[in-house]
């Protein structure tokens, strides 16, 4: 029997762990072929490729990001191969199975929930070894009626085979994110999350997990992401794994975790700050809301003060980047409350802050109670909300504007010094900066056209020129510093027009030739020649004192900024004053 397991990933760099778990569990009796595509691949091309495998059975792994594209593929595939058995599984189709079976008549079976045991039993049936009644955890249509088989007992995860030992994956390990799970289930009951449906947490065999990680690192994996919903729910387990990864990591490998920050003890963070190499770990932390009523309504137990303590300690340690998540549209979180949530979280200055929007996923408590909170939403994946009883669609759109510039100007870290000044000195709160700029960005139509790096600086400057309370010369100087600090060579084209004259440039060279320490010890040690000075130096009018800026203080001072570029290193900066 020829079996193909497939999915449409969001991006090429992603890998589907579920398919590999199913393949490993099906062996040795069955040997499915894994074929992965992306949601950007044309459906006709996917069908043409799958058709050439001549499968008897084809299984699709389904999620909110790929279900609609997957349905198009299924319908086309059925048209060209009417005898293929089409099986669906994954979180998107495990709930509301009645609707899926009736909406997509091309589906033969849906495997609900945890699939390793059920899928193998289904294969045994399709091969003619056992009757259909003996296959647990599946559903299908029979004579127009939905038939649902009871779920099997929970799998003993410690006995599952490794999903990482397939030779065909070896060439791709270093090019794609490798996902690994050390546990299944979640101890929490957040009503917007599918993980709340499975009660309890079960663990895989620790030593097998360690062997898998050694194997991945030895074969070139660079990014390994743990998909455990709460990696640190067991402090002893997390500590053991952290110690193992610190002791045995291969340089260049990065490990990512989803952690619950408010249950992380200070001594664990201190251990990581003291022992983890910089860049080895990356934390993803779901904050979602700081509104106590909202958290109570979605059954999310969260101590924000302890969460803040964790994030702050990790940030001060300087070893681990943090990605924090917010969700706009949760119950009783109106526009002003969300503004407060944003400001509460941004105050911690996470390396990344993701501003997401509530999706009413099938099977979740909030979807079931949608009417109670006045939700209107798109009833097609990914089920994003339009509005609720306290947040209008107009306000959702406005928050989306803020999200757009947050991504461009904070998460990409193109101008950290500028944004820091604006959110502390230029606007009442950080959210107000991102909101006002985001709305301006949309009004100018910039969201519908592309941009280069220089455009981001020009557009910010244009927006700030409309804000009467902004000290534009100071902000422009900070923007220039942010722009030039990223360059190793003198830029051919600058986004600003101001320059110094050739006579002023000559005068500055003469000053530095007589006393190079005016530009600092690092510059003086280079013994810059006249040729190198004119080749590698940039001189522009400047509005702040760079020496004081380097010590954390912004002081207005008209002068000239010297930028001396060095290949492979950050430039040398100094502010200079011409003699009257």
């Amino acid at each position: 029997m020829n079996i193909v397991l497939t999915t449409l990933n969001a991006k090429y760099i992603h890998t589907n762990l579920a398919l590999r778990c199913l393949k490993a569990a099906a062996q040795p009796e069955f040997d499915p072929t894994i074929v992965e595509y992306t949601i950007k691949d044309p459906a006709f091309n996917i069908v043409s490729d799958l058709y050439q495998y001549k499968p008897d059975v084809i299984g699709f792994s389904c999620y909110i990001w790929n279900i609609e594209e997957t349905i198009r593929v299924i319908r086309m595939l059925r048209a060209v191969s009417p005898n293929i058995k089409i099986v669906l599984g994954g979180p998107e189709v495990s709930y509301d199975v009645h609707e899926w079976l009736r909406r997509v008549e091309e589906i033969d079976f849906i495997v609900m929930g945890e699939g390793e045991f059920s899928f193998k039993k289904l294969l045994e049936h399709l091969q003619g070894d056992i009757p259909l009644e003996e296959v647990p955890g599946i559903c299908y249509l029979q004579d127009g009626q939905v038939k649902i088989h009871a779920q099997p007992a929970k799998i003993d995860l410690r006995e599952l085979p490794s999903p990482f030992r397939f030779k065909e994956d070896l060439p791709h390990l270093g090019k794609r994110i490798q996902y690994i799970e050390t546990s299944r289930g979640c101890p929490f009951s957040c009503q917007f999350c599918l993980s709340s449906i499975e009660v309890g947490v079960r663990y895989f065999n620790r030593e097998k997990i360690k062997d898998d990680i050694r194997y991945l690192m030895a074969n070139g994996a660079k990014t390994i992401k743990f998909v455990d919903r709460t990696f640190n729910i067991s402090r002893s387990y997390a500590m053991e794994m952290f110690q193992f990864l610190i002791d045995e990591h291969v340089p260049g490998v990065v490990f990512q975790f989803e952690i619950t920050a408010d249950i992380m003890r200070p001594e664990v963070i201190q251990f990581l700050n003291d022992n983890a190499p910089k860049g080895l770990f990356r934390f993803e932390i779901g904050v979602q809301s700081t509104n106590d009523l909202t958290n109570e309504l979605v059954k999310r137990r969260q101590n924000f003060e302890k969460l803040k303590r964790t994030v702050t300690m990790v940030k001060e340690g300087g070893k681990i980047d943090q990605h924090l998540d917010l969700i706009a549209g949760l119950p009783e979180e109106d526009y002003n409350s969300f503004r407060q949530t944003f400001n509460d979280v941004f105050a911690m200055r996470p390396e990344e802050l993701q501003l997401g929007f509530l999706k009413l996923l099938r099977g979740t408590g909030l979807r079931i109670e949608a009417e109670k909170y006045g939700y209107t939403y798109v009833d097609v994946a990914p089920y994003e909300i339009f509005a609720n009883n306290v947040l209008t669609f107009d306000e959702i759109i406005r928050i989306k504007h803020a999200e757009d510039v947050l991504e461009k100007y904070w998460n990409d870290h193109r101008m950290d010094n500028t944004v820091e000044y604006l959110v502390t000195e230029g606007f009442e709160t950080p959210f107000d900066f991102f909101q006002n700029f985001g709305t301006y960005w949309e009004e100018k139509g910039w969201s519908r056209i592309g941009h280069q790096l220089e455009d981001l600086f020009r557009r910010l400057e244009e927006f700030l020129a409309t804000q009467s309370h902004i000290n534009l010369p100071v902000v422009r100087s900070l923007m220039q510093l942010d722009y030039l600090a990223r360059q190793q060579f003198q830029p051919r084209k600058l986004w600003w027009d101001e320059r110094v004259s050739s006579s002023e440039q000559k005068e500055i060279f003469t000053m530095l030739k007589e006393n190079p320490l005016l530009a600092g010890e690092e510059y003086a040690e280079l013994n810059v020649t006249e040729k190198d000075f004119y080749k590698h130096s940039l001189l522009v009018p400047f509005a702040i004192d760079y020496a004081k800026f380097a010590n954390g203080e912004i002081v207005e001072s008209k002068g000239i900024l010297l930028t001396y570029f060095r290949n492979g290193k950050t430039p040398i900066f100094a502010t200079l004053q011409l003699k009257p």
Side-chain angles (χ1 to χ4, degrees):
M1 189 163 59
N2 192 7
I3 307 155
V4 170
L5 292 170
T6 190
T7 195
L8 282 64
N9 293 318
K11 298 178 181 178
Y12 165 76
I13 61 170
H14 299 161
T15 51
N16 187 289
L17 178 60
L19 298 184
R20 288 159 175 81
C21 290
L22 292 177
K23 174 168 179 162
Q27 291 178 337
E29 292 85 355
F30 305 97
D31 190 26
T33 299
I34 293 177
V35 191
E36 293 175 276
Y37 307 94
T38 76
I39 56 176
K40 295 298 178 67
D41 294 331
F44 188 92
N45 292 6
I46 296 173
V47 172
S48 299
D49 191 57
L50 289 172
Y51 177 82
Q52 295 178 69
Y53 285 92
K54 303 299 181 185
D56 301 299
V57 180
I58 186 162
F60 289 87
S61 184
C62 302
Y63 304 84
I64 57 169
W65 63 78
N66 72 9
I67 186 63
E68 297 303 320
E69 292 84 354
T70 299
I71 290 172
R72 284 195 287 273
V73 169
I74 288 171
R75 287 176 170 157
M76 294 172 65
L77 189 63
R78 176 64 81 203
V80 297
S81 298
N83 296 321
I84 291 178
K85 293 297 182 183
I86 295 176
V87 184
L88 271 60
E92 178 53 22
V93 293
S94 287
Y95 312 96
D96 287 355
V97 294
H98 292 76
E99 179 173 335
W100 287 120
L101 289 170
R102 297 191 186 284
R103 175 186 168 190
V104 188
E105 61 184 18
E106 291 82 3
I107 299 172
D108 290 302
F109 299 98
I110 292 176
V111 176
M112 302 175 293
E114 198 169 47
E116 286 94 343
F117 183 77
S118 297
F119 182 67
K120 187 170 186 177
K121 284 294 181 182
L122 180 59
L123 295 179
E124 290 176 6
H125 162 71
L126 294 174
Q127 188 167 260
D129 296 337
I130 62 173
L132 183 59
E133 291 74 23
E134 293 184 13
V135 181
I138 63 168
C139 59
Y140 52 93
L141 278 179
Q142 186 178 79
D143 300 326
Q145 299 296 314
V146 174
K147 297 291 184 179
I148 298 177
H149 291 198
Q151 296 275 35
K154 293 292 184 184
I155 295 170
D156 185 346
L157 302 180
R158 297 168 298 180
E159 300 302 320
L160 284 180
S162 169
F164 300 107
R165 306 306 172 100
F166 304 124
K167 290 182 180 179
E168 59 268 30
D169 281 336
L170 285 174
H172 311 289
L173 292 183
K175 303 172 186 175
R176 306 172 73 182
I177 299 171
Q178 303 305 314
Y179 297 91
I180 193 167
E181 55 181 350
T182 70
S183 66
R184 288 182 185 172
C186 182
F188 303 111
S189 304
C190 305
Q191 295 298 289
F192 51 81
C193 181
L194 284 174
S195 297
S196 65
I197 296 171
E198 182 177 350
V199 178
V201 179
R202 294 170 294 143
Y203 284 90
F204 287 76
N205 181 286
R206 300 186 187 190
E207 297 310 312
K208 286 183 179 179
I209 291 293
K210 292 175 183 177
D211 283 342
D212 283 338
I213 294 172
R214 292 185 185 105
Y215 174 86
L216 291 171
M217 292 190 296
N219 286 283
K222 298 300 181 187
T223 302
I224 299 175
K225 183 172 181 178
F226 290 78
V227 297
D228 305 59
R229 300 310 298 169
T230 305
F231 182 80
N232 62 315
I233 189 63
S234 167
R235 183 165 61 99
S236 61
Y237 180 74
M239 283 293 289
E240 179 181 338
M241 291 302 296
F242 286 144
Q243 184 71 69
F244 162 74
L245 297 174
I246 290 170
D247 291 342
E248 298 197 26
H249 77 277
V250 173
V253 178
V254 177
F255 296 95
Q256 300 183 22
F257 311 89
E258 293 186 31
I259 69 161
T260 300
D262 60 341
I263 65 172
M264 201 163 199
R265 297 179 65 106
E267 56 265 32
V268 176
I269 306 168
Q270 194 60 53
F271 168 79
L272 295 174
N273 286 346
D274 292 341
N275 296 282
K278 182 177 174 59
L280 179 63
F281 298 144
R282 174 183 168 87
F283 287 167
E284 297 183 14
I285 300 170
V287 183
Q288 320 312 7
S289 174
T290 62
N291 183 309
D292 290 337
L293 174 59
T294 294
N295 283 326
E296 181 181 341
L297 291 172
V298 298
K299 299 182 181 179
R300 181 175 179 80
R301 299 192 304 272
Q302 178 171 271
N303 185 319
F304 184 64
E305 289 306 312
K306 289 184 177 179
L307 182 150
K308 187 161 59 174
R309 178 189 67 190
T310 292
V311 172
T312 301
M313 277 190 71
V314 170
K315 188 173 183 66
E316 289 174 349
K319 299 288 191 68
I320 301 169
D321 282 350
Q322 298 178 99
H323 170 116
L324 272 57
D325 290 330
L326 301 180
I327 298 178
L330 291 171
E332 302 306 322
E333 178 102 279
D334 62 15
Y335 182 82
N336 288 329
S337 171
F338 184 77
R339 175 178 179 262
Q340 184 62 52
T341 282
F342 183 98
N343 290 326
D344 288 342
V345 176
F346 193 84
M348 295 181 283
R349 300 297 191 269
E351 284 74 22
E352 284 188 22
L353 178 57
Q354 181 173 320
L355 198 169
F357 296 83
L358 180 64
K359 299 170 178 61
L360 294 184
L361 305 180
R362 295 178 184 274
T364 60
L366 274 188
R367 185 174 175 117
I368 295 169
E369 293 194 309
E371 188 175 340
K372 175 181 178 181
Y373 298 109
Y375 280 113
T376 55
Y377 60 98
V378 187
D379 199 20
V380 176
Y383 315 113
E384 193 167 304
I385 68 165
F386 290 125
N388 63 21
N389 59 347
V390 297
L391 195 66
T392 67
F393 186 47
D394 179 69
E395 289 167 335
I396 289 276
I397 292 172
R398 290 180 63 201
I399 296 172
K400 283 183 177 290
H401 297 163
E403 187 266 341
D404 188 27
V405 295
L406 174 73
E407 197 66 33
K408 292 180 174 70
Y409 285 84
W410 178 256
N411 290 342
D412 284 345
H413 294 284
R414 292 182 169 109
M415 48 184 93
D416 286 352
N417 294 309
T418 304
V419 173
E420 182 62 36
Y421 178 81
L422 290 171
V423 301
T424 54
E425 303 293 335
F427 290 81
E428 183 178 348
T429 75
F431 183 80
D432 296 324
F433 163 67
F434 291 108
Q435 180 67 91
N436 294 346
F437 185 23
T439 299
Y440 185 84
W441 185 284
E442 182 65 25
E443 290 172 349
K444 297 294 289 188
W446 292 335
S447 62
R448 293 180 288 278
I449 59 177
H451 61 268
Q452 296 180 331
L453 177 63
E454 291 77 11
D455 295 323
L456 294 175
F457 287 85
R458 292 191 190 96
R459 292 172 184 178
L460 176 58
E461 186 174 33
E462 180 180 325
F463 162 67
L464 294 175
T466 69
Q467 307 293 302
S468 58
H469 59 286
I470 295 297
N471 188 330
L472 204 55
V474 167
V475 178
R476 184 183 293 116
S477 294
L478 292 170
M479 292 169 69
Q480 290 168 335
L481 275 176
D482 282 329
Y483 179 76
L484 294 172
R486 300 169 64 92
Q487 314 296 326
Q488 294 185 18
F489 303 98
Q490 183 163 182
R492 295 181 178 179
K493 187 179 180 181
L494 300 173
W495 56 265
W496 67 90
D497 296 326
E498 298 85 355
R499 304 286 191 277
V500 301
S501 66
S502 56
S503 61
E504 289 173 321
Q505 190 174 15
K506 185 175 181 181
E507 184 178 345
I508 287 174
F509 171 71
T510 303
M511 286 170 49
L512 293 176
K513 185 178 180 181
E514 294 173 356
N515 185 5
L517 285 172
L518 290 172
E521 293 183 3
E522 200 171 6
Y523 176 86
E525 291 173 358
L526 295 176
N527 294 316
V528 176
T529 65
E530 183 173 6
K531 178 182 177 181
D532 284 342
F533 178 82
Y534 284 103
K535 183 178 180 180
H536 299 299
S537 294
L538 175 67
L539 298 165
V540 296
F542 208 57
I544 61 176
D545 185 320
Y546 179 77
K548 291 183 177 178
F549 166 80
N551 289 320
E553 188 179 2
I554 296 177
V555 176
E556 286 191 71
S557 175
K558 287 187 177 181
I560 293 174
L561 177 71
L562 164 70
T563 307
Y564 189 81
F565 297 95
R566 303 175 294 172
N567 184 15
K569 297 182 179 180
T570 55
I572 293 174
F573 293 111
T575 44
L576 304 168
Q577 302 289 336
L578 290 174
K579 296 177 182 178

